[in-house]
């Protein structure tokens, strides 16, 4: 029995050493936090820190339309779809906790409209629908308290191609619709937009089951255009 325990310990140590060798320190820390369900991991990520610091250093332009979120937002060039300036405040890998940590910069922009799409990465960390929707409620409340002229649009989470995520995404979207009514926000139901006949993110709209490809982004932009342009 003792030899078996030692063997397991050696395997664990070997895995940790491999992580440290093939990943940089911050990514290793992030991996550990992800496995323990700590959504603060994103704020240790070099890309998150770089993007957040870049946003802080930029010249403030108040009154723009702002899209706030994770990689699904980060990777869209909104000027390709709309003939006016849209401020992109997406950071790939971000979570609701990460957004809360950098929200003051977004509020300082005093957006005319704020489109929020965040939470799918929280699911990967094992966060509950209650925690995710509760953080989004905090995001909305802070914006409403500090930028009263901002009209807030809460976008539902998109589906994924993995059925294991369907129930939690549906639960979060249900809470987001309820929160939007309570706080006077506009709820935009994106969930049905890219569904397959099996009720999952259609494979023709994604390469990896999560992120949107070009045709999917085009469908998304066409769907939100009336809200952007109103």
């Amino acid at each position: 029995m003792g030899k078996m325990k030692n063997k397991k310990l050696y395997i664990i140590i070997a895995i940790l050493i491999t992580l440290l060798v093939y990943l940089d320190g911050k990514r290793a820390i992030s991996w550990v936090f992800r496995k323990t369900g700590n959504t603060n991991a994103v704020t240790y990520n070099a890309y998150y820190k770089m993007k957040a610091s870049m946003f802080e250093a930029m010249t403030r332009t108040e009154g723009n339309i702002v899209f706030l979120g994770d990689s699904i937002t980060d990777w869209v060039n909104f000027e390709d779809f709309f003939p006016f300036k849209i401020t992109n405040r997406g950071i790939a890998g971000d979570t609701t906790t990460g957004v809360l940590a950098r929200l003051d910069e977004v509020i300082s922009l005093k957006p005319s409209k704020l489109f929020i799409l965040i939470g799918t990465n929280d699911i990967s960390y094992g966060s509950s629908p209650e925690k995710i929707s509760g953080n989004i409620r905090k995001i909305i409340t802070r914006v409403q308290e500090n930028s009263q002229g901002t009209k807030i649009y809460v976008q539902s989470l998109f589906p994924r191609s993995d059925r294991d995520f369907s129930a939690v995404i549906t639960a979060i979207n249900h809470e987001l619709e309820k929160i939007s009514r309570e706080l006077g926000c506009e709820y935009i139901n994106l969930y049905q937009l890219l569904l397959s006949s099996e009720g999952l993110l259609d494979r023709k709209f994604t390469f990896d089951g999560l992120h949107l490809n070009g045709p999917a982004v085009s469908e998304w932009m066409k769907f939100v255009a009336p809200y952007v342009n109103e």
Side-chain angles (χ1 to χ4, degrees):
M1 182 65 72
K3 289 183 178 179
M4 182 64 68
K5 286 183 178 179
N6 287 337
K7 185 176 181 181
K8 289 181 178 179
L9 180 60
Y10 293 149
I11 291 172
I12 291 171
I13 292 171
I15 291 171
L16 290 174
I17 291 172
T18 301
L19 279 169
L20 292 172
V21 170
Y22 288 101
L23 304 176
D24 62 79
K26 290 185 176 65
R27 286 183 63 196
I29 292 170
S30 178
W31 182 88
V32 172
F33 280 140
R34 184 179 292 274
K35 290 303 179 184
T36 57
N38 188 335
T39 55
N40 284 313
V42 67
T43 61
Y44 291 85
N45 181 278
Y47 183 76
Y48 173 94
K49 293 169 76 172
M50 180 273 292
K51 288 283 284 192
S53 67
M54 186 183 299
F55 294 154
E56 288 284 354
M58 288 178 176
T59 302
R60 296 285 184 273
T61 302
E62 296 185 2
N64 281 349
I65 295 171
V66 175
F67 275 73
L68 174 64
D70 49 38
S71 57
I72 295 173
T73 298
D74 188 1
W75 296 344
V76 176
N77 186 358
F78 291 97
E79 275 96 28
D80 289 341
F81 298 93
F82 300 103
F84 46 81
K85 172 67 178 176
I86 290 180
T87 300
N88 189 326
R89 284 299 183 265
I91 298 182
D94 208 357
T95 63
T96 57
T97 304
V99 167
L100 283 167
R102 63 185 177 95
L103 191 57
D104 286 346
E105 189 277 329
V106 176
I107 291 171
S108 74
L109 300 173
K110 303 297 180 185
S112 57
K113 297 177 181 179
L114 177 64
F115 290 80
I116 300 170
L117 177 58
I118 193 68
T120 198
N121 289 322
D122 297 64
I123 298 171
S124 299
Y125 284 94
S127 294
S128 67
E130 293 77 19
K131 180 177 180 180
I132 297 168
S133 59
N135 279 349
I136 294 174
R137 180 188 287 274
K138 292 177 184 177
I139 292 167
I140 295 168
T141 301
R142 276 178 56 186
V143 174
Q144 289 179 330
E145 290 174 349
N146 296 284
S147 184
Q148 289 86 358
T150 299
K151 184 167 185 180
I152 300 174
Y153 299 80
V154 179
Q155 299 171 96
S156 74
L157 299 188
F158 284 107
R160 294 195 190 187
S161 296
D162 188 336
R163 194 173 298 279
D164 290 343
F165 294 101
S166 296
V168 66
I169 290 173
T170 299
I172 292 166
N173 287 340
H174 176 75
E175 288 301 311
L176 294 184
E177 185 172 14
K178 185 166 66 174
I179 289 168
S180 297
R181 285 197 305 268
E182 291 175 7
L183 299 181
C185 303
E186 186 87 36
Y187 178 73
I188 303 177
N189 185 1
L190 302 175
Y191 187 79
Q192 303 293 326
L193 186 61
L194 307 177
L195 280 181
S196 67
S197 57
E198 289 80 27
L200 304 172
L201 177 60
D202 198 315
R203 284 290 181 180
K204 71 182 181 184
F205 289 128
T206 183
F207 297 113
D208 62 4
L210 168 61
H211 297 99
L212 308 184
N213 61 19
V217 171
S218 294
E219 290 297 316
W220 173 26
M221 292 299 100
K222 283 191 290 186
F223 194 81
V224 299
Y227 302 99
V228 173
N229 294 322
E230 67 179 5

